[in-house]
């Protein structure tokens, strides 16, 4: 095993002990650098600890640059890594610090580094949570069509209530334009309810009340879709037996004969 | 196939290639005209691009007029189309622009054109999403009675909490009338919570807290109803067939042989 | 059938045609009188139509008084009616108008008349919605214990977050007392979020964020409880067959032998 | 049975009549002392009844001190009790009153006494609610992994929307720092929606609308997870037994005979 292969196993892999330790250390480093990034935007902290934060930022930039170069070095397919989602995020999260040397203010772009927290999902692999994550993903994929239909319906309801309120309330209550009215409808129907724009007339309050009742019916639907789909998906997981005659596979565990060709089925192994 | 029939297939149909292309183009045109409509109500944009928006509006009005006339021409039953929901919306969405020539201000009515976004549901037909849409509709229809009972209960709870707060808080906290108190109860129990009217006295805040706890119980009920109904409706879709040899019944719709005794199954009647 | 019996059938019954017509008329009258009550509390309407509303109020008071006296007359057990929930509401909803003759201001108590809308639940009987209403009630009754446990947990979480915020934020952010902090915790954890009291310090906002995450977990629990219970309750409805040997009843539809004593079961009638 | 054993049974046990009475009295005392604690922080009440509240506080402190000492006396393993969660809470809830004799202001710490309300969960044991509480706990434990995955996803979504809004809106709309923007994202995505920080620019309102739609999808997921898990957990409670004659397996736990062939079933192992 060459050094390159060993590096690849450590940096990209999750099976070996070294790979797991590396992933944990990397995530710790990402969380630290993100924490510094967050605190640096708080005005009083920036004034007091600005230069300390600046030092830590450079430290992590150098560390992440080394990590990026090692990844490039040991990757069997450099192009694929460079243009993958993580490759682009890795690169973009170190560039702003260097750019700021030439163009002051480029440091603002450092906010992109927040995207590195997505690496946290690698922990799932470490913790053997993959089966559950896959189940949730497959459920969302199976409910795909129902979610699209639901999305269309919600958008239609929102557009109708938004334009109704624009006509009823008008600019003096804050409904200054149709897009703003639709923004109000979204805030109301998702039950967020900021209260920055509220109906003032009696008719407006009546229509708003109707919109809120609709939001009730609406919130029940995605939850119901997801619950039903998740239950079915969990039941589908108990793998069915395959017929050795016609090779079709969707037989329940307690079947004795193939329901397509009538041949006897093999006993489930359990 | 006459020109009229071919036009009908293109404009009303969704099976032919031409029909699908027409539907996609129409929906794109509707979304464009709606976007212009929305942007035109934003004061600064209206001042700067008002005449451009005016031009686009006339362009889409002419396009939709031609579409409307062609629909009328090729429809086998003109009366039925004219008085159908979509026929009325199609007509009302072009009238305001013409009316504005005689009565300035009639353009305000153009807001009706937003209803044309409902045509977006035709995309469902194109994308073969109909089976899922039907399942959701049948579920809502099956849960019809439970939803009505739930609606009655919610209205009762809202009326009681609204009138309680009117008596407790009174006009100085914004509860100026019974309808306004009921509006407050709706805003609170649907968890929208604008904060434009809030209880000020200790007793009022205590009763409001009770109302919020109620809203908890309440929000669980429609979700539970819809979930349970959807799970049952999905299972009903595959009603089992019975074996005529061993008379056992739990066979799936696509089975040809009994999975217990191997005898041939009767065909499902559909 | 005496007049008294016929009156009883009409007023208290829901099976005869006369009884159904009476119920519908009564509910219409209640809704009308409630609408007048609501509108009369709106200041501008009260000033303009005050005397008209006063007349309508007296009209309905006389009608409801006659109804109350007839109910008393034809009821086979007057005491039971008089001290039943509906009997008390019926009496209390007519008293305030008479009291106002002697004590001006007693009319404020007319708000009690709103409770008469509860009679709307009698419509359920008319519309044969009773089976569904019973199912929902039995589900809530079956989930009783889980709801109590959930309630205890929520109250504990609310008390802890409320007192935490009282210590952290203090009076200058509106958390002037422990009860007020607990009121804030209720408003936040039920996701109502008025915004009348909000955390101002960084630590307070961090703890508030934790409280909101908790509210997520919390809102999933009653919904899940109700869904699961409703599904089980619906399945229990498909009545099982009874063994004619040992007279025990909980056999599934596809059973051939009693699972308690082994005797052959009767075929289900369907 | 010695006095010590009898004391232990009364104070720690829940099976004997004396133990149940003691628990109920203790919970009543805790609720009373908590109520006084709450009311004492309300400024006007404190000014008027301050000395009365002071007296009650000392009364309950003495009572709880006696309870604590008795628990210590009769506990078979004093160390274990002293360092258990309840032991620490019991001690901490009496200390502040004594400390206030030396250090005025230590009374503020009395807020810890609110944690004693956790003892209310002992009522569950009294009311035989344990089976249901265990079911809910096991469901949460079974859904553990899915909840962690969901938590990661929500945090990622919140970080991304928070930093997006920080870049778009900037300090003039209240998004003064990244942590504050993330606080806004939490308030919005959990649908609490205080309205203390709201987007002001059009682009900001558009992104906020996207965040709210996401919150819809998001709220459906924990509910779905919990519902599905609870349904499965309830069904698992009655695991079916298999017939040793016909080898079919779908028999309920309380069956004695196979419902297909009538043969005697093996006893469930528990």
């Amino acid at each position: 095993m060459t050094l390159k292969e060993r590096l690849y196993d450590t940096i990209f892999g999750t099976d070996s002990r070294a790979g797991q330790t590396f992933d944990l250390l990397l995530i710790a480093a990402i969380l630290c650098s993100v924490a510094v990034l967050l605190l640096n935007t708080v005005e009083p902290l920036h004034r007091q600890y600005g230069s300390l934060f600046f030092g830590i930022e450079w430290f992590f930039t150098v560390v992440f640059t080394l990590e990026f170069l090692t990844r490039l070095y040991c990757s069997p397919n450099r192009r694929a890594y460079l243009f993958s989602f993580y490759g682009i995020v890795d690169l973009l999260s170190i560039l702003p610090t260097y750019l700021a040397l030439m163009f002051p203010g480029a440091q603002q772009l450092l906010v992109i580094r927040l995207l590195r927290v997505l690496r946290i999902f690698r922990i799932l692999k470490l913790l053997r949570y993959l089966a559950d994550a896959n189940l949730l993903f497959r459920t969302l994929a199976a409910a795909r069509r129902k979610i699209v239909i639901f999305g269309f319906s919600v958008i239609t309801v929102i557009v109708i209530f938004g334009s109704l309120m624009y006509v009823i309330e008008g600019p003096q209550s804050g409904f200054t334009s149709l897009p703003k009215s639709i923004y109000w409808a979204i805030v109301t129907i998702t039950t967020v309810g900021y209260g920055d724009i509220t109906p003032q007339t009696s008719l407006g309050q009546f229509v708003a009340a109707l919109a809120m009742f609709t939001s009730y019916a609406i919130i029940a639907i995605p939850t119901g879709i997801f619950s039903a789909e998740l239950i079915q998906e969990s039941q589908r997981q108990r793998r069915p037996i395959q017929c050795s005659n016609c090779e079709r596979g969707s037989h329940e565990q307690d079947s004795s004969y193939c329901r397509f060709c009538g041949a006897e089925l093999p006993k489930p192994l359990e």
Side-chain angles (χ1 to χ4, degrees), chain A:
Chain A
M1 208 181 192
T2 68
L3 169 75
K4 206 170 152 186
E5 280 169 6
R6 235 179 312 148
L7 271 174
Y8 179 79
D9 259 28
T10 308
I11 297 187
F12 284 94
T14 49
D15 297 329
S16 68
R17 181 148 210 99
Q20 293 178 2
T21 314
F22 177 81
D23 270 348
L24 285 179
L25 284 177
L26 180 60
I27 284 161
I30 289 171
L31 290 181
C32 280
S33 80
V34 160
V36 168
L37 203 64
L38 290 182
L39 294 176
N40 198 19
T41 64
V42 180
E43 201 42 56
L45 291 177
H46 176 69
R47 233 177 295 124
Q48 215 175 340
Y49 303 106
S51 52
L52 174 67
F53 290 152
F54 187 72
I56 300 175
E57 187 200 311
W58 265 106
F59 170 73
F60 280 118
T61 304
V62 169
V63 168
F64 291 156
T65 309
L66 288 176
E67 181 219 339
F68 180 67
L69 292 176
T70 323
R71 273 182 199 274
L72 258 189
Y73 166 70
C74 70
S75 169
N77 184 342
R78 278 166 204 172
R79 244 192 124 73
Y81 165 64
L82 205 56
F83 290 101
S84 72
F85 174 73
Y86 279 126
I88 292 167
V89 168
D90 287 353
L91 182 59
L92 286 179
S93 74
I94 51 178
L95 274 188
T97 320
Y98 295 115
L99 278 174
L101 290 178
M102 282 171 290
F103 316 97
Q107 237 150 345
Q108 296 287 345
L109 299 169
L110 217 55
V111 97
I112 296 163
R113 190 173 282 176
L114 285 175
L115 282 179
R116 288 210 85 184
V117 296
L118 285 170
R119 284 235 177 236
I120 220 169
F121 282 101
R122 283 183 68 88
I123 280 189
L124 296 181
K125 250 190 199 160
L126 300 182
L127 298 177
R128 287 164 230 281
Y129 276 26
L130 271 188
D132 286 274
N134 282 339
L135 176 63
L136 290 181
F137 264 109
R138 255 182 303 124
T139 304
L140 283 176
R144 187 174 75 262
R145 297 186 167 190
K146 296 200 190 73
I147 291 170
V148 168
I149 294 166
F150 168 71
F152 274 175
S153 313
V154 173
I155 289 169
T156 310
V157 166
I158 281 170
V159 166
I160 288 171
F161 273 112
S163 50
L164 251 178
M165 289 301 276
Y166 175 66
V167 172
I168 292 170
E169 287 280 330
Q172 64 274 20
S173 316
F175 296 79
T176 49
S177 65
L178 265 175
K180 201 146 214 167
S181 297
I182 286 170
Y183 166 72
W184 169 87
I186 294 170
V187 169
T188 299
I189 284 188
T190 57
T191 77
V192 170
Y194 284 140
D196 50 350
I197 313 170
T198 54
Q200 303 297 328
T201 66
S202 301
L203 186 58
Q205 293 181 342
F206 180 74
V207 173
L210 285 183
M212 290 168 208
F213 273 118
T214 318
S215 83
Y216 243 58
I218 279 175
I219 220 160
I221 291 174
T223 311
I225 292 173
F226 190 78
S227 303
E229 213 72 55
L230 187 57
I231 290 167
Q232 277 173 33
E233 205 64 45
S234 315
Q235 285 172 346
R236 216 168 291 162
Q237 255 187 330
R238 305 185 228 142
R239 197 106 39 96
I241 17 176
Q242 202 189 8
C243 173
S244 41
N245 182 37
C246 72
E247 298 202 329
R248 269 187 272 173
S250 53
H251 302 287
E252 291 181 36
Q253 286 282 12
D254 59 346
S255 305
S256 307
Y257 295 93
C258 172
R259 62 199 177 87
F260 297 115
C261 67
E264 211 167 332
L265 287 173
K267 286 266 164 290
L269 305 169
E270 196 59 21

